[in-house]
Amino acid sequence: MIIKPRIRGFICTTAHPLGCAENVRQQINAVTALDGGPTKALVIGASGGYGLSSRIVAAFGAGADTLGVSFEKMPTATKTGSAGWYNNVAFEEAAKERGIFAQTLDGDAFSDDMKNRVIAAIRENLGEIDLLVYSLASPVRQHPRTGILHRSAIKPLGETFQVKTLNQATGEVSEVALDPATEEETAATVAVMGGEDWEFWVEALIEADVLAPGFKTVSYTYIGSELTWPIYWQATLGKAKEDLDRAASAIEAKLAGLGGNARVAALKAVVTQASSAIPVVPLYLGLLFRVMKEAGNHENCIEHIDRLFRTALYGNVPPRLDEMGRVRMDDRELSNAVQSEIKRCWPVVSTENLADLADLGGIREDFLKIFGFGIEGVDYESDVDPTLGQDVIKG
Ligand code: NAD
């Protein structure tokens, strides 16, 4: 099959197995040795974005054995799998080459069944784990105790929010009106993206007695600046992320006996499948990337997570925490120099001056890369077998 990108709105419905493998390989090559890091790690949401980078830093930086959990689409003879599917295959193959244990379990992380499967896999292969990275981004969650299917809504709170947005495919900047969420929609978003499932994971792992002394767990949040607050931090997603802060304290209390800790890490905005789906964010990312690249402090997913592990999670000095006890890795994005330039551009950015003010090329390139396209060294004209790796991942 000759595989080309097929973009529908903010997702690409095809993925290139060799391109995804090359993307994983480039991330592995970007990581350097990390002393004193994790030795046995579980990553929930391991197949893409920040979760994949976390698994790569744990395995190829620290040499950790890893278990990864994700929810991806298996390929068939006529349809490509999802990018995360191919990323998992490439990750496992690279780990095997280096003699590092890696196992990926594909299915719904919100379910009790997946928690049981992971615990069985830890008992069978690792004995215990010393790190849990919770990096899930999902639009829906079937609650394991009530059976209710919650659907998240990416909406402002209170009032209709009129804002600029970017159509990444056409480069058109326009105004959209975003209707506010109902109370039910806000509650559903907290149920999906809040901290309850993270707590359920840690409780199940404690009960199964598979956590090592000094066990750490980290979950990722985004805070951003005034420009994105109306659709993120002060909106439905922000309410869910506030619930992570609550969950971190509750989890930390449960870990006291192990001398462990639970942290929320505030990360920088990057292009991922999840962030591309949030209105306003692509335009903000375009401006942010231009400004940070010019300032010389831009980081991609793997560089950012490498710094998180090296400085905040496993650094020699205790990390700087904010008033809520969060690790702040978004310091460069939120610096005065970066934000004041973005704020200067925001009111004037338009379709006509987008090329000067924003790094549209950069965000488009990162978007295609997620699906394994536009990567140097990959021959996109040659026939490839989309079913690659079907025997590697345990569905
Ligand atoms: P992503 O879309 O790249 O990855 C999401 C992962 O979750 C994938 O591995 C996917 O398979 C997995 N997943 C989704 N539903 C699942 C389910 N039911 N069961 C098992 N796995 C499932 O997302 P991302 O942008 O890397 O986001 C990860 C975390 O980082 C989120 O908490 C997000 O809020 C946070 N974050 C992202 C950004 C950003 O700019 N992208 C910034 C700060 C924080």
Side-chain angles (χ1 to χ4, degrees), residues 162-234:
Q162 190 82 22
V163 72
K164 279 184 177 170
T165 192
L166 165 69
N167 179 328
Q168 218 168 289
T170 61
E172 196 186 332
V173 178
S174 59
E175 288 261 335
V176 282
L178 303 170
D179 289 333
T182 61
E183 269 178 36
E184 292 74 36
E185 286 172 323
T186 307
T189 310
V190 175
V192 179
M193 287 296 287
E196 190 187 45
D197 185 56
W198 183 27
E199 282 181 278
F200 282 2
W201 269 101
V202 177
E203 281 165 10
L205 295 165
I206 291 174
E207 198 169 312
D209 197 19
V210 291
L211 298 185
F215 165 81
K216 288 177 199 286
T217 182
V218 63
S219 185
Y220 299 147
T221 197
Y222 182 68
I223 295 174
S225 75
E226 293 99 300
L227 292 171
T228 53
W229 283 349
I231 188 62
Y232 202 100
W233 188 244
Q234 292 172 349

Side-chain angles (χ1 to χ4, degrees), residues 71-306:
F71 210 0
E72 296 297 339
K73 204 163 70 199
M74 194 196 270
T76 66
T78 53
K79 248 183 147 188
T80 71
S82 53
W85 178 275
Y86 296 127
N87 292 339
N88 288 338
V89 172
F91 178 93
E92 286 208 13
E93 285 177 351
K96 200 184 281 170
E97 265 169 38
R98 304 253 186 120
I100 301 169
F101 174 84
Q103 184 180 354
T104 308
L105 299 174
D106 204 65
D108 184 9
F110 294 126
S111 68
D112 288 340
D113 175 57
M114 180 54 85
K115 292 176 177 77
N116 293 334
R117 284 171 61 197
V118 166
I119 286 165
I122 295 174
R123 288 200 173 120
E124 189 183 333
N125 301 302
L126 305 177
E128 55 186 17
I129 56 166
D130 54 19
L131 174 67
L132 164 65
V133 176
Y134 190 87
S135 184
L136 207 81
S138 172
V140 290
R141 173 183 177 214
Q142 172 138 38
H143 197 284
R145 316 236 161 126
T146 64
I148 295 171
L149 185 71
H150 297 285
R151 279 180 199 287
S152 65
I154 304 176
K155 290 189 172 181
L157 298 179
E159 289 166 20
T160 299
F161 174 50
Q162 190 82 22
V163 72
K164 279 184 177 170
T165 192
L166 165 69
N167 179 328
Q168 218 168 289
T170 61
E172 196 186 332
V173 178
S174 59
E175 288 261 335
V176 282
L178 303 170
D179 289 333
T182 61
E183 269 178 36
E184 292 74 36
E185 286 172 323
T186 307
T189 310
V190 175
V192 179
M193 287 296 287
E196 190 187 45
D197 185 56
W198 183 27
E199 282 181 278
F200 282 2
W201 269 101
V202 177
E203 281 165 10
L205 295 165
I206 291 174
E207 198 169 312
D209 197 19
V210 291
L211 298 185
F215 165 81
K216 288 177 199 286
T217 182
V218 63
S219 185
Y220 299 147
T221 197
Y222 182 68
I223 295 174
S225 75
E226 293 99 300
L227 292 171
T228 53
W229 283 349
I231 188 62
Y232 202 100
W233 188 244
Q234 292 172 349
T236 49
L237 282 172
K239 289 289 152 209
K241 292 301 189 184
E242 258 175 46
D243 189 58
L244 278 188
D245 296 325
R246 176 204 58 75
S249 310
I251 293 171
E252 183 128 307
K254 291 181 183 133
L255 294 176
L258 285 167
N261 69 49
R263 293 259 186 269
V264 171
L267 303 184
K268 127 184 227 290
V270 289
V271 180
T272 64
Q273 289 197 51
S275 69
S276 302
I278 306 172
V280 185
V281 168
L283 181 59
Y284 174 77
L285 280 170
L287 295 170
L288 178 76
F289 278 27
R290 198 264 299 162
V291 176
M292 291 189 82
K293 283 179 185 176
E294 278 175 14
N297 60 9
H298 175 75
E299 289 169 313
N300 60 23
C301 246
I302 193 75
E303 291 162 343
H304 195 57
I305 293 296
D306 190 67

Side-chain angles (χ1 to χ4, degrees), residues 28 37-44 46-47 51-69 87-88 90-96 99-105 118 121-122 125-133 309 314 393-394:
I28 291 171
T39 62
K40 290 169 183 181
L42 167 62
V43 181
I44 313 286
S47 59
L52 174 62
S53 295
S54 303
R55 191 179 189 190
I56 288 174
V57 172
F60 296 93
D65 296 340
T66 63
L67 272 175
V69 175
N87 292 339
N88 288 338
F91 178 93
E92 286 208 13
E93 285 177 351
K96 200 184 281 170
I100 301 169
F101 174 84
Q103 184 180 354
T104 308
L105 299 174
V118 166
I122 295 174
N125 301 302
L126 305 177
E128 55 186 17
I129 56 166
D130 54 19
L131 174 67
L132 164 65
V133 176
F309 273 61
Y314 297 98
I393 307 302
K394 293 191 171 50

